[in-house]
Amino acid sequence: MADRAKRMPARRAVGVYAGLAAASVFALLPMLWGLSTSLKPESQVFAVPARWIPQVLTLENYRKVLFESQIPLNLLNSVIVSVATVVLTLVIAVPAAYSAARFRFRGKNGLLFFILMTSMIPGIAILVPLYYLAVKLGIYDTYQVMIIIYAAWQVPTIVWILKGFFETIPVEIEESGRVDGCTTAGSFLRLVLPLARPGLGAASIIAFVYVWNDYLIASTFVSDPDLRLVSVGLYSYLTQYGVVWGQLMAAVVVTLVPMIVAFVVFERRLVAGLTAGASKG
């Protein structure tokens, strides 16, 4: 019986790792095929039989994407809007999350639930009113309208993530700071925020990826080609004559690079921030 009990966790671990490996292969295969397609001349894209490794490798698709298209400008637009959204989201969400984690007041739970509930409203349901407001306020076709909408949609989620993280930071740290003469704001800025870096990093990555991948807002509130985000710019390769697959895949690979770099650099903070928030959620 003891040997059987030992074998069961081992079998379960094998099953878990096999499932993770299958999921990884399922996720990676399309990206590897896209990378392969981006290195093929257009004449070889539909070659039969299909080849994972091109007979002739070419960087022509990347040259056209980087030097003969608006993808670099679209990438710059996405970086500007994403970074500005992250900053605005954190400026609003950090004090709100800290207040929810530390202070007690009547109706707090109901208010927090209402804040979270607003993030569940489908974006398409309020698209027309938002479009009308943007036109009336004169901010249609600007960076500002996208930054404001993206931040408004991300604040509820980030508030809940950071609330759970702030709750993991002992209150005694702030109390010791007050004993040493710090005000509430001073202890928050000098003691709590440095300890909250993993949570802030996780929240930043989540907001950044959301903006980077969004198509609905970027395509609705901007019509100027010079202000388009990269998610919209990719559609320029879907023409009335067909899809320019080689250049489209090259553009997709180029747009994936910032995301991959961000995850590699902030992986530990992302995992630490999410798990810490989940432990108190």
Side-chain angles (χ1 to χ4, degrees), residues 29-40 52 54 62 249 253:
L29 280 179
M31 290 188 284
L32 293 176
W33 182 254
L35 177 62
S36 174
T37 302
S38 69
L39 296 172
K40 295 177 181 177
W52 280 91
Y62 288 94
M249 290 299 101
V253 171

Side-chain angles (χ1 to χ4, degrees), residues 3-179:
D3 293 338
R4 184 178 180 182
K6 291 180 180 179
R7 287 197 297 268
M8 288 300 292
R11 291 177 181 176
R12 187 175 302 173
V14 171
V16 170
Y17 283 113
L20 292 174
S24 299
V25 171
F26 182 78
L28 287 174
L29 280 179
M31 290 188 284
L32 293 176
W33 182 254
L35 177 62
S36 174
T37 302
S38 69
L39 296 172
K40 295 177 181 177
E42 203 65 30
S43 59
Q44 291 187 19
V45 171
F46 296 103
V48 179
R51 292 177 175 270
W52 280 91
I53 300 177
Q55 287 181 322
V56 178
L57 292 175
T58 178
L59 297 177
E60 181 65 15
N61 294 320
Y62 288 94
R63 187 190 66 79
K64 290 182 177 180
V65 166
L66 294 174
F67 301 107
E68 297 181 6
S69 74
Q70 285 200 311
I71 291 297
L73 179 59
N74 299 150
L75 283 170
L76 178 61
N77 293 336
S78 289
V79 170
I80 293 173
V81 174
S82 299
V83 171
T85 298
V86 168
V87 172
L88 180 59
T89 300
L90 292 181
V91 167
I92 298 172
V94 167
Y98 178 77
S99 300
R102 287 291 188 262
F103 303 134
R104 296 182 179 180
F105 51 89
R106 182 176 299 178
K108 183 179 79 170
N109 292 334
L111 178 60
L112 288 173
F113 177 76
F114 177 77
I115 291 174
L116 181 62
M117 187 174 63
T118 60
S119 66
M120 302 177 186
I121 300 174
I124 193 69
I126 56 176
L127 200 61
V128 174
L130 289 176
Y131 182 89
Y132 178 79
L133 286 174
V135 173
K136 285 296 183 180
L137 294 174
I139 58 175
Y140 176 78
D141 229 4
T142 63
Y143 288 143
Q144 290 90 324
V145 66
M146 292 187 288
I147 293 169
I148 292 171
I149 294 174
Y150 284 139
W153 281 2
Q154 285 298 290
V155 163
T157 303
I158 301 305
V159 166
W160 273 83
I161 292 175
L162 293 180
K163 171 182 173 294
F165 193 85
F166 283 133
E167 288 175 343
T168 65
I169 300 176
V171 180
E172 290 76 12
I173 294 177
E174 298 171 66
E175 292 175 348
S176 64
R178 295 191 190 101
V179 170

